[in-house]
Amino acid sequence: MTILSPDALEQHLRDIGAARYHNRHPFHRALHDGKLDRTQVQAWALNRYYYQASIPAKDASLLARLPTTDLRREWRRRIEDHDGTEPGTGGVERWLALTDGLGLSRDYVQSLRGTLPATGFAVEAYVHFVRERSILAAIASSLTELFSPTIISERVSGMLRHYDFISEKTLAYFTPRLTQAPRDSDFALAYVREHARTAERQAEVIGALEFKCAVLWSMLDALQHAYMEGHPPPGVFRGRETPEAFAS
Amino acid sequence: MTILSPDALEQHLRDIGAARYHNRHPFHRALHDGKLDRTQVQAWALNRYYYQASIPAKDASLLARLPTTDLRREWRRRIEDHDGTEPGTGGVERWLALTDGLGLSRDYVQSLRGTLPATGFAVEAYVHFVRERSILAAIASSLTELFSPTIISERVSGMLRHYDFISEKTLAYFTPRLTQAPRDSDFALAYVREHARTAERQAEVIGALEFKCAVLWSMLDALQHAYMEGHPPPGVFRGRETPEAFAS
Protein backbone atom coordinates (compact mmCIF):
# COMPACT_ATOMS: atom_id res chain seq x y z
CA MET A 1 0.00 0.00 0.00
CA THR A 2 1.32 3.42 -1.01
CA ILE A 3 0.62 6.66 0.85
CA LEU A 4 -0.73 9.28 -1.55
CA SER A 5 -0.03 13.00 -1.28
CA PRO A 6 -3.16 15.06 -0.52
CA ASP A 7 -3.22 16.18 -4.16
CA ALA A 8 -2.87 12.62 -5.45
CA LEU A 9 -5.62 11.47 -3.09
CA GLU A 10 -7.88 14.26 -4.34
CA GLN A 11 -7.14 13.28 -7.93
CA HIS A 12 -7.95 9.65 -7.14
CA LEU A 13 -11.29 10.73 -5.66
CA ARG A 14 -12.07 12.88 -8.71
CA ASP A 15 -11.24 9.90 -10.94
CA ILE A 16 -13.74 7.77 -9.01
CA GLY A 17 -16.38 10.41 -9.63
CA ALA A 18 -15.52 10.60 -13.33
CA ALA A 19 -15.92 6.81 -13.62
CA ARG A 20 -18.72 6.01 -11.18
CA TYR A 21 -20.88 9.07 -10.43
CA HIS A 22 -24.46 8.57 -11.56
CA ASN A 23 -24.41 11.35 -14.17
CA ARG A 24 -23.03 8.54 -16.38
CA HIS A 25 -26.05 6.32 -15.76
CA PRO A 26 -28.47 5.60 -18.65
CA PHE A 27 -31.47 6.57 -16.49
CA HIS A 28 -29.99 9.99 -15.75
CA ARG A 29 -29.21 10.52 -19.40
CA ALA A 30 -32.74 9.51 -20.41
CA LEU A 31 -34.16 11.82 -17.74
CA HIS A 32 -32.31 14.92 -18.87
CA ASP A 33 -32.65 14.11 -22.59
CA GLY A 34 -36.43 14.10 -22.31
CA LYS A 35 -36.70 10.39 -23.13
CA LEU A 36 -38.93 9.53 -20.17
CA ASP A 37 -42.69 9.73 -19.91
CA ARG A 38 -44.50 11.34 -17.01
CA THR A 39 -44.89 8.07 -15.10
CA GLN A 40 -41.16 7.42 -15.32
CA VAL A 41 -40.34 10.93 -14.09
CA GLN A 42 -42.88 10.47 -11.28
CA ALA A 43 -41.23 7.18 -10.33
CA TRP A 44 -37.84 8.88 -10.23
CA ALA A 45 -39.07 11.74 -8.01
CA LEU A 46 -41.01 9.38 -5.75
CA ASN A 47 -38.05 7.06 -5.18
CA ARG A 48 -35.55 9.87 -4.87
CA TYR A 49 -37.76 11.35 -2.15
CA TYR A 50 -36.81 8.39 0.05
CA TYR A 51 -33.18 9.48 -0.28
CA GLN A 52 -33.91 13.19 0.30
CA ALA A 53 -36.02 12.47 3.37
CA SER A 54 -33.29 10.27 4.87
CA ILE A 55 -30.42 12.74 4.48
CA PRO A 56 -31.20 14.77 7.63
CA ALA A 57 -31.33 11.56 9.71
CA LYS A 58 -28.05 10.46 8.15
CA ASP A 59 -26.47 13.82 8.97
CA ALA A 60 -27.91 13.83 12.48
CA SER A 61 -26.37 10.45 13.26
CA LEU A 62 -22.99 11.85 12.23
CA LEU A 63 -23.64 15.12 14.12
CA ALA A 64 -24.19 13.05 17.26
CA ARG A 65 -20.70 11.57 16.94
CA LEU A 66 -18.66 14.65 15.97
CA PRO A 67 -16.21 15.68 18.72
CA THR A 68 -15.91 19.47 18.37
CA THR A 69 -18.15 22.52 18.22
CA ASP A 70 -16.62 23.59 14.91
CA LEU A 71 -17.34 20.26 13.25
CA ARG A 72 -20.84 20.06 14.69
CA ARG A 73 -21.64 23.62 13.59
CA GLU A 74 -20.53 22.75 10.07
CA TRP A 75 -22.58 19.58 9.99
CA ARG A 76 -25.62 21.15 11.66
CA ARG A 77 -25.88 23.59 8.77
CA ARG A 78 -26.47 20.66 6.41
CA ILE A 79 -29.44 19.50 8.45
CA GLU A 80 -30.73 23.07 8.39
CA ASP A 81 -30.37 23.12 4.58
CA HIS A 82 -32.54 20.04 4.32
CA ASP A 83 -35.03 20.55 7.14
CA GLY A 84 -35.26 24.37 6.89
CA THR A 85 -35.64 26.91 9.65
CA GLU A 86 -39.43 26.97 9.76
CA PRO A 87 -42.34 24.97 8.33
CA GLY A 88 -42.45 25.05 4.54
CA THR A 89 -38.71 25.65 4.07
CA GLY A 90 -35.70 23.42 3.39
CA GLY A 91 -34.65 20.89 0.81
CA VAL A 92 -37.04 18.08 1.76
CA GLU A 93 -39.95 20.50 1.43
CA ARG A 94 -38.64 21.71 -1.93
CA TRP A 95 -38.48 18.11 -3.11
CA LEU A 96 -42.17 17.80 -2.22
CA ALA A 97 -42.80 20.84 -4.48
CA LEU A 98 -41.41 18.66 -7.27
CA THR A 99 -43.60 15.66 -6.44
CA ASP A 100 -46.58 18.07 -6.05
CA GLY A 101 -45.84 19.44 -9.51
CA LEU A 102 -45.77 15.91 -10.88
CA GLY A 103 -49.25 15.26 -9.50
CA LEU A 104 -48.34 12.91 -6.67
CA SER A 105 -50.13 13.38 -3.35
CA ARG A 106 -47.99 14.33 -0.37
CA ASP A 107 -49.46 11.60 1.80
CA TYR A 108 -48.51 9.03 -0.76
CA VAL A 109 -45.00 10.35 -1.30
CA GLN A 110 -44.27 10.75 2.40
CA SER A 111 -45.58 7.26 3.21
CA LEU A 112 -42.79 5.80 0.99
CA ARG A 113 -45.43 3.29 -0.11
CA GLY A 114 -44.88 2.45 -3.72
CA THR A 115 -41.12 3.03 -3.70
CA LEU A 116 -38.92 0.25 -5.02
CA PRO A 117 -37.59 -2.03 -2.26
CA ALA A 118 -34.14 -1.60 -3.81
CA THR A 119 -34.41 2.15 -3.18
CA GLY A 120 -34.98 1.61 0.51
CA PHE A 121 -32.20 -0.98 0.77
CA ALA A 122 -29.70 1.42 -0.85
CA VAL A 123 -30.75 4.45 1.19
CA GLU A 124 -30.75 2.54 4.46
CA ALA A 125 -27.32 1.13 3.61
CA TYR A 126 -26.09 4.72 3.34
CA VAL A 127 -27.69 5.71 6.65
CA HIS A 128 -26.17 2.67 8.37
CA PHE A 129 -22.78 3.33 6.80
CA VAL A 130 -22.66 6.85 8.20
CA ARG A 131 -23.90 5.67 11.58
CA GLU A 132 -21.44 2.79 11.89
CA ARG A 133 -18.20 3.65 10.09
CA SER A 134 -15.46 6.02 11.18
CA ILE A 135 -16.07 9.78 11.15
CA LEU A 136 -13.52 10.03 8.34
CA ALA A 137 -15.41 7.47 6.22
CA ALA A 138 -18.75 9.12 7.02
CA ILE A 139 -17.47 12.53 5.91
CA ALA A 140 -15.81 11.04 2.83
CA SER A 141 -19.10 9.43 1.79
CA SER A 142 -20.53 12.94 1.32
CA LEU A 143 -17.92 13.69 -1.34
CA THR A 144 -20.29 12.84 -4.19
CA GLU A 145 -21.32 16.48 -3.71
CA LEU A 146 -18.07 17.31 -5.52
CA PHE A 147 -19.74 16.11 -8.69
CA SER A 148 -23.32 17.25 -8.15
CA PRO A 149 -23.26 20.79 -9.61
CA THR A 150 -22.72 19.27 -13.07
CA ILE A 151 -25.55 16.79 -12.75
CA ILE A 152 -27.89 19.44 -11.34
CA SER A 153 -27.22 21.84 -14.20
CA GLU A 154 -27.79 19.07 -16.76
CA ARG A 155 -30.92 17.91 -14.99
CA VAL A 156 -32.53 21.34 -14.63
CA SER A 157 -31.85 22.58 -18.16
CA GLY A 158 -32.71 19.22 -19.73
CA MET A 159 -35.92 18.76 -17.78
CA LEU A 160 -37.16 22.32 -18.40
CA ARG A 161 -36.47 21.97 -22.12
CA HIS A 162 -38.02 18.55 -22.62
CA TYR A 163 -40.95 18.12 -20.26
CA ASP A 164 -44.03 20.35 -20.41
CA PHE A 165 -45.09 19.04 -16.97
CA ILE A 166 -41.92 20.48 -15.36
CA SER A 167 -41.52 24.17 -14.47
CA GLU A 168 -38.86 26.30 -12.76
CA LYS A 169 -41.08 26.31 -9.71
CA THR A 170 -41.22 22.52 -9.45
CA LEU A 171 -37.43 22.40 -9.79
CA ALA A 172 -36.90 24.87 -6.91
CA TYR A 173 -35.06 22.14 -4.99
CA PHE A 174 -32.04 22.37 -7.21
CA THR A 175 -31.22 26.11 -7.20
CA PRO A 176 -29.91 26.35 -3.62
CA ARG A 177 -28.02 23.07 -4.07
CA LEU A 178 -25.83 24.77 -6.68
CA THR A 179 -24.27 26.88 -3.92
CA GLN A 180 -24.75 24.51 -0.96
CA ALA A 181 -23.09 21.48 -2.58
CA PRO A 182 -19.75 23.16 -3.43
CA ARG A 183 -19.57 24.73 0.03
CA ASP A 184 -20.24 21.34 1.66
CA SER A 185 -17.86 19.41 -0.56
CA ASP A 186 -15.09 22.02 -0.10
CA PHE A 187 -15.29 21.38 3.62
CA ALA A 188 -15.41 17.59 3.29
CA LEU A 189 -12.55 17.53 0.81
CA ALA A 190 -10.34 19.70 3.04
CA TYR A 191 -11.16 17.46 6.00
CA VAL A 192 -10.28 14.32 4.08
CA ARG A 193 -7.06 15.79 2.67
CA GLU A 194 -6.00 16.73 6.18
CA HIS A 195 -7.06 13.59 8.06
CA ALA A 196 -6.31 10.75 5.64
CA ARG A 197 -2.53 10.62 5.99
CA THR A 198 -1.91 6.86 6.14
CA ALA A 199 -2.54 4.30 3.43
CA GLU A 200 -5.21 2.65 5.59
CA ARG A 201 -7.07 5.90 6.16
CA GLN A 202 -6.81 6.75 2.48
CA ALA A 203 -8.24 3.34 1.56
CA GLU A 204 -11.12 4.08 3.92
CA VAL A 205 -11.82 7.37 2.15
CA ILE A 206 -11.64 5.78 -1.29
CA GLY A 207 -13.87 2.91 -0.21
CA ALA A 208 -16.39 5.36 1.24
CA LEU A 209 -16.68 7.32 -1.98
CA GLU A 210 -16.96 4.15 -4.07
CA PHE A 211 -19.66 2.90 -1.69
CA LYS A 212 -21.62 6.14 -2.01
CA CYS A 213 -21.35 6.14 -5.80
CA ALA A 214 -22.70 2.56 -5.72
CA VAL A 215 -25.67 3.69 -3.58
CA LEU A 216 -26.66 6.36 -6.10
CA TRP A 217 -25.94 4.12 -9.11
CA SER A 218 -27.96 1.21 -7.78
CA MET A 219 -30.95 3.50 -7.20
CA LEU A 220 -30.92 4.39 -10.91
CA ASP A 221 -30.32 0.73 -11.89
CA ALA A 222 -33.48 -0.21 -9.99
CA LEU A 223 -35.47 2.60 -11.67
CA GLN A 224 -34.17 1.63 -15.11
CA HIS A 225 -34.98 -2.04 -14.56
CA ALA A 226 -38.46 -1.38 -13.21
CA TYR A 227 -39.60 1.55 -15.33
CA MET A 228 -37.53 1.58 -18.52
CA GLU A 229 -37.16 -2.16 -19.03
CA GLY A 230 -40.60 -2.97 -17.73
CA HIS A 231 -39.94 -5.16 -14.70
CA PRO A 232 -41.57 -3.42 -11.73
CA PRO A 233 -41.44 -5.68 -8.66
CA PRO A 234 -44.67 -6.55 -6.80
CA GLY A 235 -46.43 -3.74 -4.96
CA VAL A 236 -44.72 -0.64 -6.36
CA PHE A 237 -45.94 2.55 -8.06
CA ARG A 238 -47.27 1.82 -11.53
CA GLY A 239 -48.39 5.26 -12.66
CA ARG A 240 -51.12 5.37 -10.05
CA GLU A 241 -50.86 5.53 -6.29
CA THR A 242 -50.89 2.10 -4.69
CA PRO A 243 -53.40 1.45 -1.90
CA GLU A 244 -52.63 1.36 1.80
CA ALA A 245 -50.76 -1.75 2.78
CA PHE A 246 -52.77 -4.29 4.79
CA ALA A 247 -53.71 -3.01 8.20
CA SER A 248 -50.95 -0.45 8.51
CA MET B 1 -58.19 -3.40 10.93
CA THR B 2 -59.64 -6.90 11.25
CA ILE B 3 -58.18 -9.65 13.41
CA LEU B 4 -57.63 -12.79 11.38
CA SER B 5 -58.04 -16.32 12.72
CA PRO B 6 -54.74 -18.27 12.80
CA ASP B 7 -55.89 -20.21 9.71
CA ALA B 8 -56.82 -17.03 7.85
CA LEU B 9 -53.47 -15.47 8.78
CA GLU B 10 -51.66 -18.56 7.51
CA GLN B 11 -53.64 -18.41 4.27
CA HIS B 12 -52.77 -14.73 3.87
CA LEU B 13 -49.08 -15.57 4.33
CA ARG B 14 -49.30 -18.37 1.77
CA ASP B 15 -50.98 -15.96 -0.66
CA ILE B 16 -48.07 -13.54 -0.26
CA GLY B 17 -45.69 -16.37 -1.14
CA ALA B 18 -47.75 -17.34 -4.15
CA ALA B 19 -47.64 -13.76 -5.43
CA ARG B 20 -44.20 -12.55 -4.36
CA TYR B 21 -41.80 -15.42 -3.72
CA HIS B 22 -38.84 -15.33 -6.10
CA ASN B 23 -39.68 -18.62 -7.83
CA ARG B 24 -41.86 -16.35 -10.00
CA HIS B 25 -38.89 -14.17 -10.98
CA PRO B 26 -37.65 -14.24 -14.60
CA PHE B 27 -34.06 -14.81 -13.46
CA HIS B 28 -35.03 -17.90 -11.49
CA ARG B 29 -37.02 -19.23 -14.44
CA ALA B 30 -34.08 -18.61 -16.79
CA LEU B 31 -31.73 -20.32 -14.32
CA HIS B 32 -33.74 -23.52 -14.01
CA ASP B 33 -34.73 -23.57 -17.71
CA GLY B 34 -31.08 -23.65 -18.75
CA LYS B 35 -31.27 -20.24 -20.43
CA LEU B 36 -28.20 -18.84 -18.71
CA ASP B 37 -24.57 -19.14 -19.72
CA ARG B 38 -21.79 -20.11 -17.33
CA THR B 39 -20.91 -16.49 -16.47
CA GLN B 40 -24.52 -15.77 -15.55
CA VAL B 41 -24.71 -18.86 -13.34
CA GLN B 42 -21.37 -17.88 -11.75
CA ALA B 43 -22.73 -14.38 -11.08
CA TRP B 44 -25.81 -15.88 -9.43
CA ALA B 45 -23.77 -18.22 -7.19
CA LEU B 46 -21.27 -15.47 -6.33
CA ASN B 47 -23.94 -12.97 -5.33
CA ARG B 48 -26.06 -15.53 -3.54
CA TYR B 49 -22.99 -16.44 -1.47
CA TYR B 50 -23.26 -13.01 0.17
CA TYR B 51 -26.71 -14.01 1.35
CA GLN B 52 -25.69 -17.50 2.49
CA ALA B 53 -22.68 -16.19 4.39
CA SER B 54 -24.81 -13.59 6.21
CA ILE B 55 -27.53 -15.96 7.40
CA PRO B 56 -25.63 -17.24 10.46
CA ALA B 57 -24.93 -13.64 11.58
CA LYS B 58 -28.59 -12.81 11.03
CA ASP B 59 -29.65 -15.82 13.09
CA ALA B 60 -27.08 -15.08 15.79
CA SER B 61 -28.41 -11.55 16.26
CA LEU B 62 -31.87 -13.02 16.80
CA LEU B 63 -30.47 -15.77 19.05
CA ALA B 64 -28.96 -13.06 21.24
CA ARG B 65 -32.42 -11.57 21.82
CA LEU B 66 -34.53 -14.68 22.36
CA PRO B 67 -35.84 -14.96 25.93
CA THR B 68 -36.08 -18.72 26.58
CA THR B 69 -33.91 -21.79 26.38
CA ASP B 70 -36.44 -23.54 24.13
CA LEU B 71 -36.47 -20.71 21.62
CA ARG B 72 -32.70 -20.34 21.68
CA ARG B 73 -32.18 -24.09 21.21
CA GLU B 74 -34.47 -24.02 18.18
CA TRP B 75 -32.70 -21.03 16.68
CA ARG B 76 -29.21 -22.28 17.50
CA ARG B 77 -29.86 -25.34 15.34
CA ARG B 78 -30.25 -23.05 12.33
CA ILE B 79 -26.80 -21.58 12.90
CA GLU B 80 -25.46 -25.13 13.21
CA ASP B 81 -27.10 -26.03 9.88
CA HIS B 82 -25.28 -23.17 8.20
CA ASP B 83 -21.96 -23.14 10.04
CA GLY B 84 -21.66 -26.89 10.59
CA THR B 85 -20.26 -28.77 13.56
CA GLU B 86 -16.66 -28.97 12.35
CA PRO B 87 -14.51 -27.46 9.60
CA GLY B 88 -15.71 -28.42 6.14
CA THR B 89 -19.35 -28.95 7.13
CA GLY B 90 -22.49 -26.81 7.04
CA GLY B 91 -24.49 -24.90 4.46
CA VAL B 92 -22.04 -22.05 3.88
CA GLU B 93 -19.33 -24.61 3.12
CA ARG B 94 -21.66 -26.50 0.79
CA TRP B 95 -22.38 -23.25 -1.05
CA LEU B 96 -18.63 -22.92 -1.58
CA ALA B 97 -18.67 -26.38 -3.16
CA LEU B 98 -21.04 -24.88 -5.72
CA THR B 99 -18.82 -21.85 -6.41
CA ASP B 100 -15.80 -24.22 -6.53
CA GLY B 101 -17.61 -26.31 -9.11
CA LEU B 102 -18.31 -23.20 -11.15
CA GLY B 103 -14.59 -22.40 -11.25
CA LEU B 104 -14.57 -19.41 -8.88
CA SER B 105 -11.73 -19.19 -6.37
CA ARG B 106 -12.67 -19.32 -2.70
CA ASP B 107 -10.65 -16.24 -1.84
CA TYR B 108 -12.54 -14.29 -4.45
CA VAL B 109 -15.95 -15.55 -3.43
CA GLN B 110 -15.35 -15.07 0.29
CA SER B 111 -13.99 -11.53 -0.23
CA LEU B 112 -17.43 -10.53 -1.63
CA ARG B 113 -15.45 -8.43 -4.11
CA GLY B 114 -17.23 -8.42 -7.41
CA THR B 115 -20.73 -8.83 -5.94
CA LEU B 116 -23.37 -6.35 -7.04
CA PRO B 117 -23.74 -3.44 -4.61
CA ALA B 118 -27.50 -4.08 -4.71
CA THR B 119 -26.88 -7.60 -3.37
CA GLY B 120 -25.10 -6.23 -0.32
CA PHE B 121 -27.73 -3.55 0.27
CA ALA B 122 -30.53 -6.15 0.19
CA VAL B 123 -28.71 -8.68 2.39
CA GLU B 124 -27.67 -6.06 4.94
CA ALA B 125 -31.24 -4.75 5.01
CA TYR B 126 -32.34 -8.25 6.02
CA VAL B 127 -29.65 -8.52 8.70
CA HIS B 128 -30.61 -5.11 10.10
CA PHE B 129 -34.31 -5.98 9.98
CA VAL B 130 -33.78 -9.08 12.10
CA ARG B 131 -31.52 -7.19 14.49
CA GLU B 132 -33.84 -4.22 14.96
CA ARG B 133 -37.45 -5.34 14.63
CA SER B 134 -39.55 -7.29 17.11
CA ILE B 135 -38.85 -10.96 17.74
CA LEU B 136 -42.18 -11.76 16.11
CA ALA B 137 -41.25 -9.84 12.96
CA ALA B 138 -37.77 -11.39 12.92
CA ILE B 139 -39.20 -14.91 13.12
CA ALA B 140 -41.88 -14.11 10.54
CA SER B 141 -39.23 -12.89 8.09
CA SER B 142 -37.90 -16.47 7.97
CA LEU B 143 -41.24 -17.71 6.62
CA THR B 144 -40.03 -17.63 3.04
CA GLU B 145 -38.75 -21.11 3.93
CA LEU B 146 -42.39 -22.20 3.61
CA PHE B 147 -41.98 -21.83 -0.13
CA SER B 148 -38.39 -22.95 -0.61
CA PRO B 149 -38.79 -26.74 -1.12
CA THR B 150 -40.56 -26.03 -4.43
CA ILE B 151 -37.89 -23.65 -5.68
CA ILE B 152 -35.09 -26.00 -4.59
CA SER B 153 -36.62 -28.97 -6.42
CA GLU B 154 -37.07 -26.88 -9.57
CA ARG B 155 -33.57 -25.49 -9.30
CA VAL B 156 -31.80 -28.80 -8.76
CA SER B 157 -33.60 -30.78 -11.45
CA GLY B 158 -33.47 -27.91 -13.94
CA MET B 159 -29.81 -27.14 -13.38
CA LEU B 160 -28.72 -30.80 -13.56
CA ARG B 161 -30.67 -31.26 -16.79
CA HIS B 162 -29.52 -28.12 -18.56
CA TYR B 163 -25.97 -27.29 -17.53
CA ASP B 164 -23.04 -29.61 -18.20
CA PHE B 165 -20.89 -27.61 -15.73
CA ILE B 166 -23.27 -28.53 -12.86
CA SER B 167 -23.19 -31.89 -11.05
CA GLU B 168 -25.00 -33.44 -8.11
CA LYS B 169 -21.88 -32.85 -6.07
CA THR B 170 -21.81 -29.11 -6.76
CA LEU B 171 -25.49 -28.93 -5.82
CA ALA B 172 -24.89 -30.63 -2.44
CA TYR B 173 -26.08 -27.46 -0.67
CA PHE B 174 -29.65 -28.07 -1.61
CA THR B 175 -30.26 -31.66 -0.47
CA PRO B 176 -30.25 -31.04 3.31
CA ARG B 177 -32.30 -27.88 2.80
CA LEU B 178 -35.19 -30.04 1.57
CA THR B 179 -35.62 -31.39 5.11
CA GLN B 180 -34.25 -28.43 7.10
CA ALA B 181 -36.47 -25.80 5.50
CA PRO B 182 -39.83 -27.48 6.26
CA ARG B 183 -38.75 -28.22 9.84
CA ASP B 184 -37.70 -24.56 10.31
CA SER B 185 -40.77 -23.11 8.67
CA ASP B 186 -43.11 -25.42 10.64
CA PHE B 187 -41.66 -23.96 13.82
CA ALA B 188 -41.82 -20.35 12.61
CA LEU B 189 -45.37 -20.76 11.32
CA ALA B 190 -46.57 -22.26 14.60
CA TYR B 191 -44.87 -19.43 16.51
CA VAL B 192 -46.50 -16.79 14.35
CA ARG B 193 -49.95 -18.42 14.52
CA GLU B 194 -49.69 -18.47 18.29
CA HIS B 195 -48.19 -15.03 18.92
CA ALA B 196 -49.84 -12.79 16.32
CA ARG B 197 -53.26 -12.45 17.91
CA THR B 198 -53.96 -8.73 17.41
CA ALA B 199 -54.43 -6.89 14.13
CA GLU B 200 -51.25 -4.87 14.77
CA ARG B 201 -49.16 -7.98 15.41
CA GLN B 202 -50.64 -9.66 12.35
CA ALA B 203 -49.77 -6.61 10.26
CA GLU B 204 -46.21 -6.89 11.56
CA VAL B 205 -46.02 -10.51 10.46
CA ILE B 206 -47.44 -9.77 7.03
CA GLY B 207 -45.10 -6.81 6.59
CA ALA B 208 -42.12 -8.96 7.59
CA LEU B 209 -42.89 -11.63 5.01
CA GLU B 210 -43.48 -9.02 2.29
CA PHE B 211 -40.19 -7.37 3.24
CA LYS B 212 -38.31 -10.67 3.02
CA CYS B 213 -39.87 -11.54 -0.34
CA ALA B 214 -38.72 -8.09 -1.55
CA VAL B 215 -35.16 -8.83 -0.37
CA LEU B 216 -34.98 -12.04 -2.41
CA TRP B 217 -36.81 -10.52 -5.39
CA SER B 218 -34.56 -7.46 -5.55
CA MET B 219 -31.46 -9.69 -5.53
CA LEU B 220 -32.72 -11.38 -8.69
CA ASP B 221 -33.78 -8.03 -10.20
CA ALA B 222 -30.20 -6.82 -9.79
CA LEU B 223 -28.80 -10.01 -11.37
CA GLN B 224 -31.24 -9.81 -14.27
CA HIS B 225 -30.46 -6.14 -14.89
CA ALA B 226 -26.69 -6.61 -14.71
CA TYR B 227 -26.23 -10.00 -16.36
CA MET B 228 -29.26 -10.68 -18.55
CA GLU B 229 -29.95 -7.14 -19.74
CA GLY B 230 -26.30 -6.20 -19.93
CA HIS B 231 -25.98 -3.34 -17.43
CA PRO B 232 -23.34 -4.42 -14.91
CA PRO B 233 -22.51 -1.52 -12.58
CA PRO B 234 -18.89 -0.35 -12.19
CA GLY B 235 -16.48 -2.74 -10.47
CA VAL B 236 -18.43 -6.02 -10.45
CA PHE B 237 -17.72 -9.55 -11.71
CA ARG B 238 -17.72 -9.69 -15.48
CA GLY B 239 -16.90 -13.32 -16.13
CA ARG B 240 -13.45 -12.96 -14.66
CA GLU B 241 -12.40 -12.24 -11.11
CA THR B 242 -11.95 -8.54 -10.44
CA PRO B 243 -8.67 -7.37 -8.90
CA GLU B 244 -8.15 -6.44 -5.27
CA ALA B 245 -9.72 -3.13 -4.41
CA PHE B 246 -7.25 -0.28 -3.84
CA ALA B 247 -5.12 -0.85 -0.77
CA SER B 248 -7.54 -3.15 1.02
Side-chain angles (χ1 to χ4, degrees):
Chain A
M1 299 198 298
T2 329
I3 301 179
L4 304 175
S5 69
D7 284 348
L9 176 61
E10 177 174 340
Q11 190 54 52
H12 193 98
L13 297 171
R14 292 189 183 279
D15 291 345
I16 291 170
R20 300 193 177 197
Y21 191 58
H22 63 165
N23 65 322
R24 297 171 59 92
H25 195 284
F27 193 93
H28 167 70
R29 293 202 306 268
L31 178 68
H32 77 66
D33 286 348
K35 299 285 166 55
L36 302 185
D37 63 26
R38 188 157 174 272
T39 296
Q40 291 167 323
V41 177
Q42 285 176 317
W44 168 72
L46 176 70
N47 279 275
R48 176 81 187 190
Y49 175 79
Y50 196 139
Y51 179 84
Q52 299 301 141
S54 302
I55 292 301
K58 181 276 287 184
D59 283 326
S61 77
L62 179 55
L63 182 63
R65 300 164 60 208
L66 289 172
T68 69
T69 287
D70 282 350
L71 279 171
R72 286 194 299 269
R73 193 184 295 120
E74 166 67 30
W75 223 263
R76 187 160 49 88
R77 200 185 48 203
R78 296 169 190 236
I79 304 179
E80 193 177 305
D81 289 344
H82 283 90
D83 280 341
T85 48
E86 53 194 312
T89 66
V92 179
E93 183 72 23
R94 282 193 299 275
W95 197 270
L96 289 169
L98 171 60
T99 54
D100 288 348
L102 290 168
L104 296 165
S105 78
R106 288 202 168 199
D107 277 356
Y108 181 68
V109 173
Q110 291 178 309
S111 75
L112 305 178
R113 220 164 65 226
T115 56
L116 296 163
T119 299
F121 301 156
V123 170
E124 298 298 341
Y126 183 35
V127 174
H128 280 110
F129 183 96
V130 170
R131 192 182 295 159
E132 291 163 10
R133 300 298 177 100
S134 71
I135 288 171
L136 177 66
I139 290 177
S141 70
S142 75
L143 282 172
T144 43
E145 294 290 10
L146 278 174
F147 321 116
S148 79
T150 315
I151 204 173
I152 289 176
S153 309
E154 287 173 357
R155 216 183 254 155
V156 168
S157 62
M159 289 177 75
L160 284 175
R161 189 162 56 243
H162 292 298
Y163 300 116
D164 57 10
F165 50 88
I166 290 283
S167 69
E168 296 225 25
K169 184 167 156 246
T170 53
L171 294 182
Y173 171 80
F174 298 104
T175 314
R177 293 306 301 158
L178 288 168
T179 47
Q180 291 165 353
R183 184 200 62 201
D184 292 351
S185 62
D186 284 353
F187 175 86
L189 184 60
Y191 183 92
V192 159
R193 287 176 57 113
E194 185 180 337
H195 291 84
R197 294 299 183 100
T198 67
E200 289 79 3
R201 299 271 281 170
Q202 293 180 343
E204 241 189 306
V205 164
I206 288 164
L209 183 56
E210 287 180 347
F211 165 82
K212 174 66 175 299
C213 286
V215 166
L216 297 171
W217 191 277
S218 77
M219 289 171 67
L220 294 189
D221 269 353
L223 283 164
Q224 184 188 6
H225 186 66
Y227 295 104
M228 290 175 68
E229 285 160 0
H231 305 293
V236 304
F237 177 72
R238 304 282 297 259
R240 52 190 188 333
E241 301 188 1
T242 36
E244 290 284 340
F246 175 85
S248 69
Chain B
M1 298 199 295
T2 329
I3 301 179
L4 303 175
S5 69
D7 283 348
L9 176 62
E10 177 174 338
Q11 190 53 53
H12 193 96
L13 297 171
R14 292 188 182 278
D15 292 345
I16 291 171
R20 301 192 178 199
Y21 190 58
H22 63 165
N23 65 323
R24 298 172 57 92
H25 195 284
F27 193 93
H28 167 70
R29 293 202 306 267
L31 178 68
H32 77 67
D33 287 348
K35 299 286 167 53
L36 302 184
D37 63 27
R38 187 159 175 271
T39 297
Q40 291 167 323
V41 177
Q42 285 176 317
W44 168 73
L46 177 69
N47 278 275
R48 176 83 185 189
Y49 175 79
Y50 196 140
Y51 179 84
Q52 299 302 141
S54 302
I55 292 301
K58 181 275 287 184
D59 283 327
S61 78
L62 179 55
L63 182 63
R65 299 164 60 207
L66 290 173
T68 68
T69 287
D70 282 349
L71 278 171
R72 285 194 298 269
R73 193 184 296 117
E74 165 66 28
W75 224 263
R76 187 160 49 87
R77 200 185 49 202
R78 296 168 190 237
I79 304 179
E80 192 176 305
D81 289 343
H82 283 90
D83 280 341
T85 48
E86 52 193 313
T89 66
V92 178
E93 183 72 23
R94 282 192 299 274
W95 197 270
L96 289 168
L98 171 59
T99 54
D100 288 349
L102 290 168
L104 296 165
S105 79
R106 288 202 169 200
D107 277 356
Y108 182 68
V109 173
Q110 291 178 308
S111 76
L112 305 179
R113 218 163 66 228
T115 56
L116 296 164
T119 299
F121 301 155
V123 171
E124 298 298 340
Y126 183 35
V127 174
H128 279 111
F129 183 95
V130 170
R131 192 182 296 157
E132 291 163 10
R133 300 299 177 99
S134 72
I135 288 171
L136 177 66
I139 289 177
S141 70
S142 75
L143 282 172
T144 43
E145 295 290 10
L146 278 174
F147 320 117
S148 78
T150 315
I151 204 174
I152 288 176
S153 309
E154 289 173 355
R155 217 183 255 155
V156 169
S157 63
M159 289 176 76
L160 284 175
R161 187 161 57 242
H162 292 297
Y163 300 114
D164 57 12
F165 50 87
I166 291 283
S167 69
E168 295 224 26
K169 184 167 156 248
T170 54
L171 293 183
Y173 172 80
F174 297 104
T175 314
R177 293 307 301 159
L178 288 169
T179 46
Q180 291 165 353
R183 183 201 63 200
D184 292 351
S185 63
D186 283 353
F187 175 87
L189 184 60
Y191 183 92
V192 159
R193 287 175 57 111
E194 184 181 338
H195 289 83
R197 294 298 183 102
T198 67
E200 289 80 3
R201 300 269 282 170
Q202 293 180 343
E204 241 187 307
V205 164
I206 289 164
L209 183 57
E210 287 179 346
F211 165 82
K212 174 66 174 303
C213 286
V215 166
L216 297 171
W217 191 276
S218 77
M219 288 172 66
L220 294 189
D221 269 352
L223 284 164
Q224 183 187 7
H225 186 66
Y227 295 104
M228 290 175 68
E229 286 161 0
H231 305 293
V236 304
F237 177 72
R238 304 282 297 260
R240 55 194 185 337
E241 301 187 1
T242 37
E244 290 283 341
F246 176 86
S248 70

